[in-house]
Structures are given as C-alpha cells and as structure tokens.
Amino acid sequence: MQYVSTRGHSGRKQFCEALLEGLAPDGGLYVPETYPRVDHATLDAWRTLSYANLAFEILSLYVGDIPSADLKAICAKTYTPEIFGKPDIAPLRKLERGLYLQELSNGPTLAFKDMAMQLLGNLLEYELTRRQENLNILGATSGDTGSAAGYAMRGKKGVRVFMLSPRGRMSAFQQAQMFSLQDHNIHNIAIDGVFDDCQDIVKRVANDLEFKQQYKIGAVNSINWARLLAQVVYYFSGYLQAFERGPAGVSFAVPSGNFGNICAGHVARMMGLPISRLVVATNENDVLDEFFRTGVYRARSRADTLETSSPSMDISKASNLERFVFDLVGRDAGRTKALFDGQLRERGGFDLSGDPRFAEAAARFGFRSGKSSHADRVAAIRDTWERYHTVIDPHTADGVTVARTHASAEEAMIVLETALPIKFAATIKEALGREPDLPERYKGLEELPRRVRVLPPDARAVKDYIAEIVTS
Ligand SMILES: *Cc1c(COP(=O)(O)O)cnc(C)c1O
C-alpha cells in the first residue's frame, strides 16, 4: 500500500514516510491510494480476535514497510489490559435497547486519544531506531492531545516532546496529569497566553525551515495518517460487538472537533464495514454540522470560536475534513487543492451545495449531523445518570444528545465515549451536584511534583529553550 496527498503533488509514499512526515510537503493530507476491501468472510473470521490481533490484521492491510512479525509485536505491546484498563480494550456498554457507549477512554490519560497515540509512540520508536534518527515533537494543546502525547512518548528512544499549553487554562486534573510526568524526554511548556498563542508559536517554529531541519522538529497532530488508522480498529471492534447482539444495522455517533475520530469511521465504511450511518455531533462550534446540512464549509474566525463546556471540540476549522472531501469529489486532487489551498485560504470557506455529489453524499457515505448546546449537555449528563447510573463526560454527552435525534428502533447506535468525566469535573458538578469519582490509580495525582517551564508567548523564547535542551 502506498500513500498519496489529497493535493496530488507529493508523489507516492510508504507508510513510515507518511508516519514521520505527518503533513504532505504540498500541504495536503496523506491518504491510501485505495481503500482495501474487507469481505464478509474475513469480517466473520475477525469476530473472535483479540483487540491487538484485530489491530494487527487491519494495520497489515495498510503497512507495507514493517515486517509482519514486528508489526504484530507492536500491536501486542500497545493494546494490553494493563495500559487500557479493560481486558477487551474497547468494550461496548449498553445503555438501553439499541443505544450503546463504546468505552475508548480507559487508557493512561482517560480520553480516546490514547487509543491512537499509544500506537503512534511505539511505531515512532520502532522506525526512529531502525533509521537511527531522532525526532523532537513540537505541539500545542488545550488539554487532551498534550497529555496523550506525553504518556505515549515517555521514555521512548529517539523521541522528545515539547508541548505548549496555555498557562492556567486547562482543568485542574489535566494540568496535574500533564505536569506530573517526570520523564526526561517530556518537556511541558506553559505559555503565558491562550491556546491560539500556543498554536501560533508552533506554526512559526515549523515555518522556520532551517530551525526545523537543524533540530528535527516533527508533529503528532490528528492529521497524521497513523493516528487515523489506529482509530479505524475500534469501529471494527464496536461493529462486531454490536452485531453479536443481533440488530439489523449498526450506526456510530461521534463527538467531533477536527473530524479525526469520525474520519476513521469513514475509512472503515469505505473498507466495506457495513456501518449504516455516521452521525457527526458538534457543540456550539458547529462548522461540521453546517457543512453536512448545507454543503457550505465556513471556517470560523478566532472571535467566532466559542469557549464551551466541551472544550476539546472548540475548533474554528476541521483539519481532517479534507480527507473526506477528497473522496466526496471523486478523489480529484486538483479540485481538493482548489477548495482547501485556494478558496479556504482566500475566502475562508467554500460551497459544495450545488455539486450533485454533495446531494448524494448522505446516501453514499452515510453521514448525518447535529449539534448540542451547554443546556443539552448538562441535561444529557443528568438523564444518563438518572436512567442508567452512568456518568458521561461533556463531549460524550454531545454524542448522546445528537445520537438520540438520529436513533431508529431497528438499529444499534453506538456513541463513542471520548473522555472520562473526571477530566471535566466542573460541568459534572453543575449537572449532578457532585464531582465525578476519581479512578483509584489517579488518587494523589494533584499533589505530585510538577515539571513544567513557563515561557512568554514568543516563538524566539520557545526556540531558545528547545535549542538549549537538545544541545545540552
Ligand atoms: C479530541 C477530542 C474530541 C474531538 O475529536 P476529533 O478527532 O478532533 O473530531 C472530542 N472529545 C474529546 C474528549 C477529545 O479529546
């Protein structure tokens, strides 16, 4: 399997090249040249596999440049009950007839991002060791990505992480979780500013090509193909578990921000997994809901991006949408480039409402969408507690809210659980009048010593700090 860019100018790449590069050199996103098809007999044979072996089978279809035995060992060491807290890694939990939660947040940082980031850590260590290279990962986080990256890369050979976060603006639990990591290859940097300042600094450093090359700066953001591929696995796992229980169809509802999570569902469906519908759930930042309802994609300005109580979905544009639009326009790279490199950059968006392919998109690709508000979120948390004695986090609550508007009696609707409630205690307290339970293994976390460097919102200061660490 080889990879091409959605913008068509980066040649064909092997899996590990796409893994290390992240973004394609022409600014597009890497996608597989074709989607391998999984037939019914194969799907049937996968029913009894462990999660790690299922991951291996799916990855094998996409990874041509890692020997099979090595890939299998990487999957086996990633998806263990010790790391993911449950024997079956991503189990379904039934709420009521036809409505399930898929637990994806029992990993080290209690958000679904661990599902992919843990694999990425092991793949990077493997490939960097093989090439005898080093990588300095630079990223910005408002919470979940940063800690998932830190916990996935801690102690990994050849990798250092420099993670910028807005000083004092993450939840207490998120700060404790990130900053208590004592590993010498993890460097947390608290920026005196907001998340956008952090992101601007990352962009400015990455645009300094000389610095980028000299210090081998890389990224692990959600546009990395390897992260998306890791996520494809739990759609297969969720489908197979629901199918066991005998409904006529299986749909997924996915709390969405950058469209990374649900894009993996799209890939699974393109591979032939018989997913009935893929329901995109947004919060008040409804860029994606607007796109799927109207065909108009309108990136928001900074001022129009709201701070909500499901903060990991507070996005101004959905960076992974380009992969879906590439498929929507018949894999026409010229058209995709004109939309994302032309109209989006010049006019802040584009309009596909007049394109007959957009009109057919719901039927062809199964997408539906909806949005949720703070009041919906609080009501869903309360209702899910009262009816099922289950506490869900605010993002998962957006999924449950939107799932209900698209549920049908004959089908199973699986809501992907994107974080555990303890990460967002304030909203849980508002909904239930009490704080969520702290999982046993996190008791005392907030008292641990912290390792974090405070820097001003200035790219120069961050570059100097990186240079100091790398050359010391
Ligand atoms: C990252 C994140 C999301 C959004 O996922 P995307 O892949 O960006 O669509 C939703 N909920 C939580 C808790 C997250 O951490």
Side-chain angles (χ1 to χ4, degrees):
M1 175 66 72
Q2 297 203 304
Y3 294 85
V4 294
S5 162
T6 50
R7 298 185 189 173
H9 291 288
S10 294
R12 289 181 166 65
K13 297 286 168 70
Q14 294 292 328
F15 175 82
C16 288
E17 292 174 289
L19 167 75
L20 291 178
E21 279 180 33
L23 198 67
D26 65 357
L29 308 189
Y30 282 116
V31 287
E33 222 168 3
T34 56
Y35 293 112
R37 298 283 298 181
V38 173
D39 59 23
H40 280 292
T42 308
L43 198 56
D44 210 43
W46 285 358
R47 221 167 273 277
T48 53
L49 295 180
S50 67
Y51 193 92
N53 284 340
L54 180 64
F56 167 68
E57 293 295 337
I58 293 168
L59 262 69
S60 296
L61 302 173
Y62 287 96
V63 181
D65 52 347
I66 297 178
S68 204
D70 293 353
L71 189 61
K72 191 159 193 168
I74 290 170
C75 292
K77 97 169 182 196
T78 303
Y79 296 108
T80 70
E82 290 68 40
I83 295 170
F84 285 97
K86 294 272 164 108
D88 34 7
I89 311 299
L92 287 193
R93 183 197 293 201
K94 182 175 175 176
L95 293 182
E96 64 184 40
R97 199 182 129 82
L99 185 64
Y100 299 89
L101 283 184
Q102 187 169 10
E103 295 186 32
L104 301 177
S105 305
N106 301 311
T109 73
L110 308 183
F112 85 98
K113 291 188 171 71
D114 291 327
M115 297 293 297
M117 205 68 94
Q118 287 287 324
L119 181 74
L120 198 71
N122 287 327
L123 286 168
L124 282 176
E125 181 175 56
Y126 174 87
E127 185 58 14
L128 290 167
T129 305
R130 187 160 73 165
R131 293 178 180 218
Q132 298 189 297
E133 284 177 13
N134 295 308
L135 187 67
N136 292 306
I137 293 166
L138 175 64
T141 186
S142 56
D144 297 333
T145 305
S147 51
Y151 280 75
M153 307 300 162
R154 63 190 298 193
K156 292 278 185 284
K157 287 188 279 298
V159 186
R160 278 192 205 91
V161 175
F162 295 90
M163 190 57 67
L164 277 49
S165 59
R167 186 181 185 192
R169 286 176 189 260
M170 295 185 294
S171 76
F173 183 84
Q174 284 175 320
Q175 295 185 45
Q177 196 176 47
M178 266 182 78
F179 301 157
S180 61
L181 278 183
Q182 298 297 325
D183 304 77
H184 288 296
N185 67 329
I186 308 298
H187 303 276
N188 285 305
I189 303 171
I191 296 290
D192 262 321
V194 295
F195 174 62
D196 283 320
D197 296 318
C198 301
Q199 223 164 12
D200 282 349
I201 294 171
V202 169
K203 272 189 207 141
R204 230 168 290 151
V205 175
N207 285 339
D208 179 345
L209 295 183
E210 200 181 315
F211 184 87
K212 194 178 166 190
Q213 271 176 357
Q214 183 181 354
Y215 291 99
K216 305 198 182 330
I217 303 294
V220 289
N221 41 24
S222 77
I223 52 95
N224 193 298
W225 167 255
R227 272 181 72 178
L228 207 91
L229 178 57
Q231 294 169 178
V232 171
V233 179
Y234 53 71
Y235 284 89
F236 277 86
S237 167
Y239 176 90
L240 290 172
Q241 292 176 64
F243 191 79
E244 289 289 305
R245 309 181 194 205
V250 178
S251 294
F252 288 87
V254 186
S256 296
N258 271 319
F259 201 71
N261 198 354
I262 199 161
C263 193
H266 166 66
V267 172
R269 200 172 180 277
M270 296 301 278
M271 292 169 71
L273 186 68
I275 295 171
S276 162
R277 286 161 305 152
L278 287 165
V279 181
V280 179
T282 74
N283 63 17
E284 293 89 335
N285 295 295
D286 58 351
V287 186
L288 286 169
D289 180 41
E290 181 176 77
F291 174 70
F292 282 100
R293 275 188 300 103
T294 66
V296 175
Y297 181 61
R298 190 168 56 87
R300 307 297 197 251
S301 67
R302 215 171 257 197
D304 288 336
T305 307
L306 305 167
E307 258 186 60
T308 76
S309 48
S310 44
S312 300
M313 293 155 62
D314 292 347
I315 49 102
S316 54
K317 56 181 192 296
S319 50
N320 264 293
L321 187 69
E322 185 166 336
R323 288 195 164 101
F324 171 67
V325 170
F326 180 65
D327 286 340
L328 179 74
V329 299
R331 305 204 120 206
D332 178 341
R335 180 93 196 280
T336 308
K337 183 173 161 63
L339 293 173
F340 284 88
D341 195 27
Q343 296 186 29
L344 179 62
R345 218 156 39 83
E346 286 148 22
R347 279 181 252 154
F350 52 78
D351 181 356
L352 294 180
S353 61
D355 189 321
R357 283 173 300 201
F358 179 78
E360 298 162 13
R364 269 187 68 207
F365 299 104
F367 276 100
R368 302 286 188 279
S369 73
K371 64 188 277 192
S372 162
S373 67
H374 178 75
D376 295 330
R377 202 168 296 138
V378 168
I381 293 169
R382 197 174 290 148
D383 177 71
T384 305
W385 168 249
E386 282 167 3
R387 285 209 252 174
Y388 319 116
H389 267 249
T390 295
V391 185
I392 54 175
D393 101 290
H395 307 79
T396 309
D398 290 335
V400 168
T401 298
V402 175
R404 287 198 182 282
T405 67
H406 291 277
S408 100
E410 301 81 53
E411 285 189 0
M413 176 68 83
I414 300 174
V415 179
L416 298 188
E417 174 205 61
T418 55
L420 289 197
I422 188 64
K423 294 196 97 166
F424 303 97
T427 304
I428 306 302
K429 189 150 190 212
E430 181 181 340
L432 302 181
R434 62 175 173 82
E435 304 247 328
D437 298 332
L438 184 64
E440 196 58 42
R441 61 193 153 122
Y442 292 94
K443 299 242 157 91
L445 183 73
E446 299 198 13
E447 283 77 55
L448 291 178
R450 299 186 179 192
R451 214 172 96 89
V452 56
R453 176 70 167 258
V454 179
L455 291 178
D458 170 18
R460 182 77 257 160
V462 172
K463 282 190 209 172
D464 288 347
Y465 181 64
I466 293 173
E468 177 195 320
I469 298 284
V470 172
T471 52
S472 73

